[in-house]
Amino acid sequence: ADESIGMHGSSLGGAITLTAFAQEPRLKAIFLDSPLTDGRAQFSQYTGLPDALFPGVEWAARIVSGDTLLRHDPLDAIKGAQGRRLAVVHGTGDQVVRPSHTDQLLQVAAQHDVKIEVWKPTGVGHVGALAVYPQEYERRMAEFFSPQAPTAP
């Protein structure tokens, strides 16, 4: 049986998809849409609160849930991704999870010689590419997950 698994994740689901990608070697391809890659930066951007308050939020989350809020770094997935496929779409108009998250992902990928297929639709907001360009989105995803798609170097 083929042990190749693919996954799609959007926004916070993109961070979860990256975390799964880091932990599950059978996960051979991931397609991300507006992925959150830096939870601490997202906290400050989304809440408008200073970054200095984040340790208190982490502490409260640990008390409530018994878990560490940022135990997994989504970017760790990129460091061990050689030979597996990644694609990311992130609209340049995203104000919820800013495109800088994808830029950070691409920077880490370049440092680790990992190739990522990238599509940055101009002016498109958070996870909006599917609504704005449905045929293009579907074509890109179908080609990416196609059994005939080339494997990553």
Side-chain angles (χ1 to χ4, degrees):
D2 187 4
E3 291 293 318
S4 296
I5 302 169
M7 192 171 178
H8 172 269
S10 297
S11 192
L12 178 58
I16 294 165
T17 298
L18 282 163
T19 299
F21 195 63
Q23 297 178 11
E24 178 51 69
R26 292 177 299 162
L27 194 50
K28 300 296 184 189
I30 59 172
F31 190 99
L32 306 170
D33 189 341
S34 309
L36 185 145
T37 59
D38 185 343
R40 190 175 186 133
Q42 186 66 14
F43 165 79
S44 296
Q45 179 211 319
Y46 197 72
T47 64
L49 296 171
D51 188 54
L53 295 179
F54 192 77
V57 171
E58 282 186 301
W59 175 82
R62 192 173 314 117
I63 296 299
V64 171
S65 71
D67 202 359
T68 304
L69 194 59
L70 297 180
R71 180 169 39 135
H72 302 288
D73 181 352
L75 295 173
D76 285 345
I78 304 306
K79 298 170 186 169
Q82 292 84 0
R84 298 191 286 166
R85 302 189 65 238
L86 293 96
V88 63
V89 54
H90 206 138
T92 63
D94 192 338
Q95 294 300 309
V96 177
V97 176
R98 293 196 175 129
S100 59
H101 287 261
T102 288
D103 295 340
Q104 186 179 26
L105 182 85
L106 297 173
Q107 185 178 29
V108 172
Q111 292 168 352
H112 294 276
D113 199 30
V114 172
K115 306 291 183 250
I116 300 179
E117 295 178 30
V118 183
W119 178 33
K120 294 182 177 181
T122 303
V124 172
H126 189 59
V127 296
L130 179 58
V132 176
Y133 301 106
Q135 287 95 1
E136 178 73 5
Y137 195 102
E138 183 178 329
R139 180 191 66 77
R140 285 175 180 265
M141 186 181 282
E143 286 177 3
F144 180 76
F145 284 119
S146 166
Q148 290 77 35
T151 57

